[in-house]
Amino acid sequence: METLAELGSDGRHPAPTNPTAMEDPRADAVAVVPTLGGTDALPDQDTAAGARKRKAPAPATAKAVRKPRERQVEEPIQMPVYYGCRKEFFSVNGDDLVEDCSYLYAKNKCEHIVGELPLQPHSMSLVDLQLWIFKLFRLHPETQDLKIKGFFKQRTTGLYDEEEPEWYMEYCPWDSCDFYSDKYWSSFAKKLKRKRNVTQKFRLYVQSSEIKHYDILLKAVNDDYSQLLTVVLPGTESLTSSQFGSRGLVNDLTMTAKEIAAYLTLTGHYDKQISPAEVWRARQIAIEREFGTFYDSHNFAPRLLKEIARKNPGGFVDIKDAEVAGCKDFRVLQRMFWAFAQCLQAFRTCRPVICIKGKALCGKYQGVLLTAVALDANDSSIPIACAIVEADSKESWLWFLRNLERAVVHQSHICIIHDYKRELIDAVEDLLSSRQRLWRRAESRWCMEDLAENFFAYFGDQNLVMMFKKRCQQNRRHKFSKIWKELDELTSKYMAEKEHGASAKMQQESVEHDVPELEAENPCNQPDHVDVNNRKITKFSDWIHLKPKEKWSLAYDSDGARYGIMGSDIADVYKNDPVLKGITCLPLGAIVEVTFLRLVEYFENASAAANKAMGNPSISFPELVQVDMNSKMQKAEMHNYFQKYTDDENVVGGEENWKFTVKGRKREVTVHLKSENTLSMNRSEGSTIQKTATCTCNKPQLLHKPCSHVIAICCEVGVSTATYMSPYYCLPSLVCTWKPKFNKFSHDYRDVAPVYFRDNIPTWIPDKRLECGLPVCLSSDCVQTVVEEEQQSSI
């Protein structure tokens, strides 16, 4: 639709208009033909040369009586807004904005909708215009790549010229104006003022990553979708152009809000105090300029995963999406799961323990990043699988775990260590109890750090938390019981003092404010601490009694499924891990790209270090294991009494099963060295002798490596300690862990249709119901603290 204004057929008044507010912005192009004709009184016809004789002047004594001008009622302007032209934005001109392309190239085809501008558009700022476009197209409230330009042409006619056909205007050239600032928009808006004897046409053209799929997005959202409000920053001249486009904000994704503000001031990007909201937006703009928009990343990410899988066979990718009714080439991206082949291969020589964690995304769309992490012999983390899901729910966790089971293959039993959350606990239980599970045997354990946070929420004392962690990591059961008793005493005392203090404070407040005593019976007007069964918690035993010991304590870890991993190493994996740190603030495509490129460098460096250690004759174990073994060797030298005996005279493969009594400074323990004849799965390989060591201190059974007592025996009888060490702690396993090589992907995955995608790859779009803008807390007084916490939680 075009905005057309011209004089009426009578030559004195503009053509009548009847603009109507449209509930559906996608009105037909012929629905409205509004006018922008002038409404001022025409000049006295006698002033025109060669027209009529001039009337005789009125007598001097007579008073000139002028009829008052009738006040013109202003009408809103119906402005056509075009979008979807496939040409570059800077090269689009007014003649390109056509919908009937029967005689043009298909790339010039575009669509338009009609919006109603305010009565005085020249009083609008550029931000007002952008917000008007946001509302018209129902864009994401934090769209940063919106570009707007205007087109204008006009033709002036004489007062007594014959009426011209409408097609005369088609041959008038278009003037264009890019709206870089308020100055450019204001200049264009002033031309919208109605003028007499002038025929005018106006158009706007807009372009952004989201607008190009406007019609598709309308079909993809439900009727209950409501657009988010946009927060306008004070003093902002434009929501989509910024001086903050600094790559330094992308190089270090772990920067906090305070550090970003200091960086922008130091580098001269901003010469005054910057608000936390502007800090947040500056980071978003810099990220989108580096990796593409958050909207486009929903299409980039699946394409990149398929390209990586093509270049690196053996990985696993699963994309869950939904069809868009009537649009077979478009799909709404819901979930993504990926596991790179090199990480899956590395896990096969690591301890069979998988730690799973989840972290909310802090970009422009809601979502949760789920990660499965393994640890090598040096306790270096390896992200073996990742997923993006819509929410932290039982259904999303179960979908992640089932894909993890399909992707991960290990010769030993799997142990899953996870947070103490109801939805995650239920998902793990459903997986392990399923008859269709692929893992032969799997166990689940709880993360000590996450459980300690839950403990602190009840008892609120860091000293008690440290004691609780000490109890979780205790390997001797008699010490475990002793610490339990101490915890009961201390927590009972703490809760009693807390309740007494709260009650006294409440009574004092009731006296000061004349509150009845009955209202002060419940301290702090809050319910007492209760468990899931509504039982009051007064001590540690009340809180822990429903939690199975094998889930959280090392001493009761059956079969040593944990391998000593309690969860401390992966508690801050999104903050400290060299691959995962800071990625939750990135678009989806950038999350995949950054993790892959970081893994390439990570594997190269770790492989070089492992090969160097392997070639050093003075090193017998990986660095962390070597330090631990040296400490135990010093401790073993203090064990001075040994007694050897055997229960029977059985000989297995020439090896006897011996028991030793070792006496140290404080206690006496029993060490059992045993040989077992194990049949190989391959009959041609025959059987092998497996040597194991157990000790009443419980460490070899729980950690799968010798304790100081076993080392003392090995030194006494002349046996290498590596004989009773799990192969996962040996140098050859470490070398094999980091041996896989990556094949890098081509960087054309951001192209609209690469050659290998053209036939069967759809276009993915985000779910608009997951849109999120500036955090609500950014408008409060405590904004600085909250933003820093947001930034800290995203790294």
Side-chain angles (χ1 to χ4, degrees), residues 250 286-293 300 586-587 590 593-594 749-750:
V250 180
I287 287 174
E288 288 196 341
R289 290 181 178 177
E290 179 70 19
F291 299 107
T293 66
F300 294 160
L586 296 175
E593 178 181 349
V594 170
Y749 72 93
R750 297 179 189 172

Side-chain angles (χ1 to χ4, degrees), residues 142-145 233 236 238-247 249-250 277-294 364:
E142 285 301 320
T143 299
Q144 306 288 354
D145 66 330
L233 304 182
T236 302
S238 173
L239 296 176
T240 59
S241 61
S242 173
Q243 56 182 324
F244 300 138
S246 174
R247 202 174 189 280
L249 301 181
V250 180
E278 289 173 312
V279 168
W280 185 86
R281 183 166 286 160
R283 166 66 66 82
Q284 303 301 311
I285 293 175
I287 287 174
E288 288 196 341
R289 290 181 178 177
E290 179 70 19
F291 299 107
T293 66
F294 281 83
K364 296 184 179 180

Side-chain angles (χ1 to χ4, degrees), residues 21 102 168 170 204 232 248 403 417 422 454 470 525 643 669 694 766 779:
S102 57
Y168 273 28
E170 299 299 328
L204 293 180
V232 182
N403 275 322
I417 298 180
R422 175 47 53 192
N454 190 277
K470 182 180 178 180
N525 286 330
Q643 181 180 357
V669 298
T694 60
S779 58

Side-chain angles (χ1 to χ4, degrees), residues 320 335 356 368 370 389-403 418 421-434:
K320 182 180 179 182
R335 296 173 181 172
I356 58 177
V368 181
L370 309 182
V389 296
E390 71 284 357
D392 187 356
S393 63
K394 175 186 174 182
E395 291 73 18
S396 61
W397 275 114
L398 187 57
W399 179 83
F400 172 75
L401 290 170
R402 285 174 176 168
N403 275 322
H418 57 86
K421 297 190 295 186
R422 175 47 53 192
E423 58 272 9
L424 185 49
I425 293 174
D426 292 342
V428 172
E429 289 180 353
D430 285 0
L431 176 75
L432 300 184
S433 61
S434 175

Side-chain angles (χ1 to χ4, degrees), residues 385-619:
C386 297
I388 302 291
V389 296
E390 71 284 357
D392 187 356
S393 63
K394 175 186 174 182
E395 291 73 18
S396 61
W397 275 114
L398 187 57
W399 179 83
F400 172 75
L401 290 170
R402 285 174 176 168
N403 275 322
L404 185 65
E405 188 183 33
R406 294 165 60 190
V408 173
V409 177
H410 202 283
Q411 66 271 22
S412 301
H413 304 322
I414 301 293
C415 176
I416 302 174
I417 298 180
H418 57 86
D419 290 346
Y420 179 72
K421 297 190 295 186
R422 175 47 53 192
E423 58 272 9
L424 185 49
I425 293 174
D426 292 342
V428 172
E429 289 180 353
D430 285 0
L431 176 75
L432 300 184
S433 61
S434 175
R435 294 183 179 181
Q436 288 79 30
R437 73 180 188 183
L438 302 177
W439 289 331
R440 291 179 298 170
R441 180 182 173 186
E443 302 283 345
S444 70
R445 300 290 186 264
W446 296 341
C447 174
M448 178 189 68
E449 293 293 335
D450 187 76
L451 191 61
E453 292 181 6
N454 190 277
F455 176 90
F456 181 76
Y458 276 92
F459 300 105
D461 185 271
Q462 287 293 347
N463 293 328
L464 294 177
V465 171
M466 296 302 297
M467 183 175 290
F468 170 70
K469 290 182 180 181
K470 182 180 178 180
R471 186 169 185 268
C472 291
Q473 299 175 85
Q474 182 54 243
N475 58 284
R476 291 176 177 266
R477 295 191 177 184
H478 70 278
K479 287 187 176 181
F480 179 87
S481 300
K482 181 180 179 181
I483 299 176
W484 185 310
K485 184 177 179 180
E486 293 178 359
L487 267 176
D488 270 349
E489 295 176 355
L490 294 175
T491 52
S492 178
K493 180 180 179 181
Y494 175 83
M495 294 299 290
E497 292 177 352
K498 182 179 179 181
E499 184 173 352
H500 176 74
S503 177
K505 181 180 179 181
M506 193 65 186
Q507 291 178 2
Q508 182 179 0
E509 291 179 354
S510 65
V511 172
E512 293 177 355
H513 299 86
D514 296 329
V515 179
E517 292 184 1
L518 291 177
E519 296 184 10
E521 290 180 358
N522 188 6
C524 301
N525 286 330
Q526 295 179 353
D528 295 327
H529 285 302
V530 295
D531 60 12
V532 292
N533 294 328
N534 210 30
R535 288 180 48 186
K536 185 176 181 180
I537 296 177
T538 59
K539 58 182 178 180
F540 172 72
S541 294
D542 298 334
W543 176 77
I544 201 68
H545 79 286
L546 292 178
K547 302 174 178 63
K549 294 178 182 178
E550 66 273 10
K551 296 290 186 182
W552 56 272
S553 67
L554 181 62
Y556 288 87
D557 180 26
S558 56
D559 298 328
R562 285 180 175 269
Y563 279 74
I565 300 174
M566 301 301 296
S568 301
D569 301 294
I570 50 91
D572 295 326
V573 67
Y574 296 106
K575 182 186 299 185
N576 302 324
D577 184 81
V579 176
L580 300 175
K581 61 181 180 181
I583 65 172
T584 54
C585 67
L586 296 175
L588 301 190
I591 290 177
V592 178
E593 178 181 349
V594 170
T595 52
F596 182 86
L597 296 179
R598 286 178 175 178
L599 279 170
V600 174
E601 182 180 2
Y602 188 36
F603 267 67
E604 290 177 352
N605 296 337
S607 178
N611 292 333
K612 183 178 180 180
M614 189 71 179
N616 191 339
S618 62
I619 300 179

Side-chain angles (χ1 to χ4, degrees), residues 229 316 371 448 523 605 615 676 729:
L229 297 177
F316 184 87
T371 312
M448 178 189 68
N605 296 337
E676 292 181 345
Y729 295 108

Side-chain angles (χ1 to χ4, degrees), residues 45 170 177 215 366 520 693 724:
Q45 296 182 7
E170 299 299 328
C177 180
D215 293 334
Q366 300 175 36
Y724 301 102

